[in-house]
Amino acid sequence: MTDYIIRDIGLAQFGRKEFDIAETEMPGLMALRKEYGESKPLAGARIAGSLHMTVQTGILIETLTALGAEVRWASCNIYSTQDHAAAAIAASGVPVFAVKGETLEEYWSYTDRIFQFPEGTANLILDDGGDATMYILLGARVEAGETDLIAVPTSEEEEALFAQIRKRLAASPGWFARQRDALKGVSEETTTGVHRLYDLHKNGQLPFPAINVNDSVTKSKFDNKYGCKESLVDGIRRATDVMMAGKVAVVCGYGDVGKGSAASLRGAGARVKVTEVDPICALQAAMDGFEVVTLEDVAADADIFVTTTGNKDVIRIEHMREMKDMAIVGNIGHFDNEIQVAALRNHKWTNVKDQVDMIEMPSGNRIILLSQGRLLNLGNATGHPSFVMSASFTNQVLAQIELWTKGSEYQPGVYILPKALDEKVARLHLDKIGVKLSTLSKEQADYIGVSPEGPFKPDHYRY
Ligand code: NAI
């Protein structure tokens, strides 16, 4: 029986060829396969994975299975799946539920499918953005009669989520509590999902330990920054083919993703302006040479707008009404609510191609909206390159090993991997790019108060 939902199994060979290339660029994951392939520390683990089903994620999945895990997978965004990668995974016998351009209803039913192990439950979640974790924890609260949230959807997303929870509750009473109670923990990939986990913990609603992979230095200071530096402009180019050099681009937010995005646009020759609410990040942007402005002041003049904040309602309808004809609007943050797309629904939309729409504003000016406001580097392009994802996913695998082998030693809460492992992840990526590391003499190490083998920095060091 086929236990997958994908676009076309015929794409598997193409996906496999791209896996072969990606493996050569993912030294961290390949080193873990070598180190743990025999001892199989993930034997017995049943991992429900919700993370963009790309080629790079294919290499992550095959690393988890090489270490002994059973895995079921869905994408964490309706536009981010690479259908050939999903096909290669399905052909290898790993259940995967992901189609580029799936509907919201399908999205939540696929999230449900990742928990349907033959044994009845998953025991670990590997999450990106927190949807899989939220599905189980919210479902369990509704099941227990703790919340009537389900009655008041405030968006299309919530409507689809609540419908799926209702469906599951009707089909199998007690299902959500069983899933929740079987979980030993979750490892979370991104800033937005991590915010959700800290909130859950603060409200006493996190019943298991969670590892915040995002805040490993070798994740957020690399994937969020150098990843977006490559994939942001890639997405805009594939969507629009617009000449970037000379254009005025506005980047909303100057955190890790904003820093990479601003650098990406500058590298392409755009004249880049930044908006920020945090004085520290605003000062950083200014001292990196970017003009720091408010969106109100530049909405009418800029050519390209990108949100990177992880916040909601950043580009609002009043800004879009001001924009010049053919302004490009996109988001690279995790959720689509950074741009008020719902307020555009009653305008005239012309679909240009998949994930590119032209929308006519009341003034007659048109804006080009990328991926309907969903993260454009994965919707319009293929996300970050393999090398940087190797660092992120090496952290993910280490986090899954930690939760599976030592999870019971942790209280419910949100944890970060120890610095020694963070340094190990970096170390595994040096050879590939010919980095020669210097070594500390015993005297030097004593003088700065570290061990010659590391860790080289205190936990509060910010890089
Ligand atoms: P961050 O917290 O480092 O940066 C966000 C910045 O936005 C902060 O400096 C904050 O002060 C600023 N901000 C918040 N509200 C604002 C507003 N109204 N106007 C202007 N600035 C505002 O977070 P990070 O790591 O940069 O992540 C941002 C988002 O990107 C998150 O949703 C994260 O999950 C997502 N992400 C997306 C990736 C992708 O490949 N598309 C990769 C990594 C993260």
Side-chain angles (χ1 to χ4, degrees):
M1 193 197 77
T2 55
D3 194 12
Y4 58 75
I5 300 173
I6 58 166
R7 167 86 58 208
D8 176 7
I9 194 73
L11 296 170
Q13 262 198 340
F14 173 33
R16 181 57 53 186
K17 284 181 210 157
E18 293 227 315
F19 282 15
D20 290 344
I21 298 172
E23 284 180 357
T24 68
E25 282 282 312
M26 302 188 86
L29 289 180
M30 299 315 278
L32 292 187
R33 288 189 198 178
K34 221 177 184 171
E35 184 176 349
Y36 295 112
E38 265 180 37
S39 61
K40 304 224 180 296
L42 289 175
R46 298 190 300 275
I47 301 171
S50 168
L51 192 152
H52 312 289
M53 185 54 253
T54 62
V55 167
Q56 293 69 34
T57 302
I59 311 306
L60 166 63
I61 291 171
E62 296 196 338
T63 305
L64 295 168
T65 55
L67 271 53
E70 250 186 280
V71 175
R72 297 174 70 85
W73 214 267
S75 216
C76 62
N77 184 283
I78 61 172
Y79 291 141
S80 63
T81 295
Q82 291 163 17
D83 290 316
H84 62 316
I89 287 299
S92 77
V94 171
V96 52
F97 309 89
V99 180
K100 189 175 180 79
E102 65 204 29
T103 64
L104 286 168
E105 288 69 30
E106 287 164 343
Y107 175 81
W108 287 109
S109 77
Y110 298 167
T111 305
D112 182 271
R113 291 289 293 270
I114 63 177
F115 291 93
Q116 293 178 19
F117 283 86
E119 295 83 351
T121 57
N123 47 32
L124 289 169
I125 295 177
L126 192 157
D127 219 350
D128 183 345
D131 276 356
T133 305
M134 197 239 320
Y135 178 59
I136 297 303
L137 295 184
L138 182 63
R141 289 179 60 212
V142 175
E143 201 169 64
E146 254 184 69
T147 172
D148 60 355
L149 279 179
I150 215 137
V152 283
T154 58
S155 63
E156 281 178 347
E157 267 80 3
E158 278 190 5
E159 216 169 286
L161 162 66
F162 295 173
Q164 174 60 42
I165 293 181
R166 276 197 294 270
K167 207 157 126 194
R168 172 50 64 198
L169 281 172
S172 17
W175 186 86
F176 285 106
R178 273 200 303 285
Q179 295 297 336
R180 181 199 57 201
D181 296 346
L183 286 166
K184 287 187 76 140
V186 53
S187 61
E188 169 55 54
E189 174 82 2
T190 198
T191 315
T192 286
V194 161
H195 284 163
R196 284 173 148 188
L197 286 171
Y198 284 109
D199 269 357
L200 282 168
H201 186 51
K202 198 172 77 198
N203 299 329
Q205 291 168 351
L206 185 68
F208 38 68
I211 295 187
N212 164 358
V213 167
N214 182 67
D215 287 297
S216 287
V217 179
T218 48
K219 199 286 181 180
S220 48
K221 298 293 170 188
F222 289 83
D223 165 328
N224 304 25
K225 182 179 171 186
Y226 301 110
C228 292
K229 191 171 171 187
E230 307 232 352
S231 64
L232 174 73
V233 160
D234 186 18
I236 298 172
R237 285 198 204 283
R238 293 200 207 193
T240 65
D241 294 316
V242 77
M243 178 86 182
M244 310 288 294
K247 294 288 191 305
V248 174
V250 180
V251 174
C252 302
Y254 202 69
D256 292 322
V257 169
K259 288 178 176 74
S261 299
S264 184
L265 290 157
R266 174 185 270 171
R271 290 173 287 157
V272 183
K273 302 183 183 195
V274 167
T275 74
E276 250 297 345
V277 293
D278 176 338
I280 296 177
C281 297
L283 189 59
Q284 282 181 313
M287 295 184 69
D288 284 340
F290 297 107
E291 193 182 340
V292 183
V293 296
T294 65
L295 200 47
E296 288 68 29
D297 285 344
V298 294
D301 304 318
D303 304 284
I304 299 168
F305 297 84
V306 180
T307 51
T308 76
T309 68
N311 204 346
K312 64 174 187 173
D313 299 329
V314 176
I315 295 185
R316 295 185 294 278
I317 186 69
E318 63 264 28
H319 300 129
M320 292 185 277
R321 285 202 188 109
E322 292 283 304
M323 288 177 188
K324 60 160 111 153
D325 194 34
M326 289 298 169
I328 295 168
V329 180
N331 163 49
I332 194 169
H334 191 77
F335 284 123
D336 59 339
N337 56 355
E338 302 213 16
I339 302 169
Q340 285 184 340
V341 177
L344 294 171
R345 291 287 173 205
N346 57 356
H347 293 58
K348 180 173 170 226
W349 286 53
T350 306
N351 181 252
V352 180
K353 60 182 181 181
D354 285 352
Q355 285 80 55
V356 182
D357 292 288
M358 189 166 65
I359 299 158
E360 197 175 315
M361 304 305 290
S363 65
N365 283 354
R366 293 150 301 172
I367 60 173
I368 301 283
L369 180 67
L370 306 184
S371 288
Q372 299 205 21
R374 294 172 202 277
L375 28 72
L376 74 93
N377 61 330
L378 282 139
N380 298 91
T382 50
H384 299 346
S386 301
F387 187 71
V388 84
M389 293 316 296
S390 177
S392 303
F393 290 165
T394 304
N395 282 290
Q396 277 286 8
V397 176
L398 292 172
Q400 289 284 317
I401 296 176
E402 185 71 8
L403 288 166
W404 183 240
T405 56
K406 300 205 192 105
S408 46
E409 295 169 24
Y410 289 81
Q411 292 300 311
V414 188
Y415 301 88
I416 293 173
L417 287 173
K419 192 166 291 292
L421 290 182
D422 217 346
E423 289 180 358
K424 171 177 173 167
V425 174
R427 214 180 269 280
L428 290 173
H429 290 85
L430 300 181
D431 271 359
K432 170 76 191 171
I433 51 174
V435 174
K436 288 214 177 86
L437 211 53
S438 304
T439 48
L440 284 174
S441 68
K442 177 83 178 66
E443 293 71 28
Q444 285 177 315
D446 288 347
Y447 185 69
I448 58 170
V450 300
S451 140
E453 295 78 41
F456 297 95
K457 299 286 194 297
D459 283 340
H460 61 256
Y461 186 79
R462 292 193 176 91
Y463 297 85

